[in-house]
Amino acid sequence: MSKVVVKLNTSGVRELLKSSELRDGLAETAHKIAVRAGEGHEYDTKYMGTRVIASVYTDSTQAYHDAINNNKLLKAVQG
């Protein structure tokens, strides 16, 4: 077996982590999770430091308690 050496293009990786394509992909995934979680769940994407992130969160008290008591968000992430 031969050894494979991989050298990352750090500036390219940095650019990828901030790209609009990645943001769109994360927004699509977060939207699907919020829909699976049901009413009272929202999503957001934003730039945080060196990368873009997506969040899915509860937007109502009822959804919050459902997430806490029934692991609704966790189940939505698992599909």
Side-chain angles (χ1 to χ4, degrees):
M1 295 184 91
S2 62
K3 291 185 178 182
V4 176
V5 177
V6 176
K7 183 175 179 184
L8 292 176
N9 177 342
T10 54
S11 62
V13 171
R14 198 174 302 118
E15 184 179 321
L16 176 66
L17 290 174
K18 290 183 174 184
S19 71
S20 61
E21 293 86 4
L22 183 62
R23 182 181 179 131
D24 294 343
L26 288 174
E28 182 180 334
T29 301
H31 173 72
K32 289 178 182 177
I33 292 169
V35 168
R36 279 195 303 262
E39 191 175 328
H41 294 84
E42 296 292 329
Y43 72 96
D44 185 26
T45 58
K46 57 186 163 190
Y47 293 99
M48 292 288 289
T50 60
R51 64 199 66 208
V52 63
I53 65 164
S55 302
V56 179
Y57 55 92
T58 59
D59 198 28
S60 70
T61 304
Q62 182 180 1
Y64 172 78
H65 288 293
D66 198 24
I68 296 255
N69 296 324
N70 301 315
N71 291 322
K72 191 81 171 219
L73 283 174
L74 179 61
K75 290 175 183 176
V77 169
Q78 293 173 342

